[in-house]
Amino acid sequence: MSFNSDTESPPVEARSDAAPASSTLLPTLGKRVREIRDRRGMTRKLVAREAGVSERHLAHVEGGEGNVSIVLLDNIARALDVSLVELLAPETEDTVERRLIRRFLERLPQHRLEEVVFRLMRDFGHEESVRRKRIALIGLRGAGKSTLGTRLAREEGMPFIELDREIEKETGIPGREIFALYGQAGYRRIEKRTLDRVIREHSRAVISVGGGVVSQPESFEMLLSNCLTVWVKATPEEHMARVMAQGDLRPMAGNDEAMDDLKRILEAREALYAKADTVLDTSGESADESFMKLRRLVMS
C-alpha cells in the first residue's frame, strides 16, 4: 500500500502549484479576446459567425468561463484576423510611448488611420531594404518621368522599365487600342497583371508608371508596398507644354477646355499622389537640376 501513497502525493502537489495559474488563464484569455474584438470594431455576433461557434459560447469564452479547445481558439483568432500566438500572448508593459501612440491613433479619422497603418507596415517592415531597390516614378505625362528615369537607371546600373510599354508588349496592342477594345476597367486589369509581373521579375529597377495607376487601389497598393515611390510633378501649364513639345498635340485637339480638364485631374488625384514616399517638383527647372534632386531623394 505504500506504493499508492507514494504515487498520490506528486499529483496533489502539481495541482496545488497549477491552481493560481489556471484560475487566471481563462479570465485573461477572455479579456484578450474581448479587447481585440473591440479594437476591430466587430460585434460578438459577427465574430461568432466567422468562427463557426454560437454567440453564447463566445460570450462564455469572453467571460472566462468553462474550458476552450485549441481548435476553437484558432477559429476565433482567424475571425479576429490575429495569430493564435497573438491571441494567447500576454500584453507587454504599457509604456509612455505606447500610450502616446494609442492616443494619437484614437484621434485619427478612419481614412487617415488606414494610411498610417499602411505606412508603418511599409516603412518598418522587414522587407523595407528590398522595397527601396525598386524606384517607381508616378505622375502625369510631361512631368519628366521618362527623361529622369532613364538617366537614373543608367547611372545606377539598373533596367529602366516603362509600364505602358510593358503593357503593349504583353498584349501586342498599342495602348490607345487597348482602351478602345477593353475600356478603362479592362486596361486597369491588364496594368495590374503587368505590374505584378514586373515586380516579380525585377528586384532592382527604375519603373515609370502611368499617372492613372492611382485610380486602381490594388495596383497602387502593390506599387507602394514593393517600390520606393516618387511623385514627379509640375505645374499644369508645364505638363501641357512638355507633352506638346514632344509633338503630341492630342491634349489640345478638339478640346478648348483641355487645361481646365488637366487641372481637375491633378486636383482629384493630388491626395493619392501624395501617398508616395517622396515628391519631386520639376516646375521651372532644367533636366539637370531635377535629376540632381531626384538622386538626393532616392539616396537619402
Side-chain angles (χ1 to χ4, degrees), residues 28 32 84-92:
T28 300
R32 182 88 173 126
L84 186 56
V85 172
E86 187 178 350
L87 188 65
L88 293 169
E91 290 286 357
T92 55

Side-chain angles (χ1 to χ4, degrees), residues 136-152 160 162 164 206-212 230-233 239 242 273 282 294:
L137 308 181
I138 65 172
L140 292 180
R141 292 178 65 204
K145 292 179 298 181
S146 295
T147 301
L148 299 173
T150 302
R151 187 168 170 182
L152 180 64
F160 175 66
E162 289 191 281
D164 288 346
V206 178
I207 308 170
S208 173
V209 186
V230 181
W231 174 19
V232 186
K233 63 181 293 190
H239 273 293
R242 290 171 183 174
Y273 286 144
T282 63
L294 175 62

Side-chain angles (χ1 to χ4, degrees), residues 58-121:
L58 182 59
H60 281 304
V61 172
E62 291 188 352
E65 305 166 9
N67 292 318
V68 56
S69 71
I70 289 295
V71 173
L72 174 60
L73 279 181
D74 188 49
N75 288 344
I76 293 174
R78 290 172 185 275
L80 293 170
D81 195 26
V82 297
S83 68
L84 186 56
V85 172
E86 187 178 350
L87 188 65
L88 293 169
E91 290 286 357
T92 55
E93 183 183 353
D94 195 15
T95 63
V96 173
E97 290 81 8
R98 288 177 185 274
R99 288 197 297 272
L100 285 173
I101 291 171
R102 259 201 319 269
R103 200 171 301 138
F104 171 75
L105 293 176
E106 286 167 357
R107 292 173 182 168
L108 287 176
Q110 183 62 33
H111 71 283
R112 294 301 306 280
L113 185 61
E114 291 172 358
E115 178 185 342
V116 169
V117 170
F118 178 78
R119 283 187 176 271
L120 286 173
M121 291 173 64

Side-chain angles (χ1 to χ4, degrees), residues 13 22 25 29 76 83 290:
E13 186 179 351
S22 62
L25 176 60
L29 176 61
I76 293 174
S83 68
S290 293

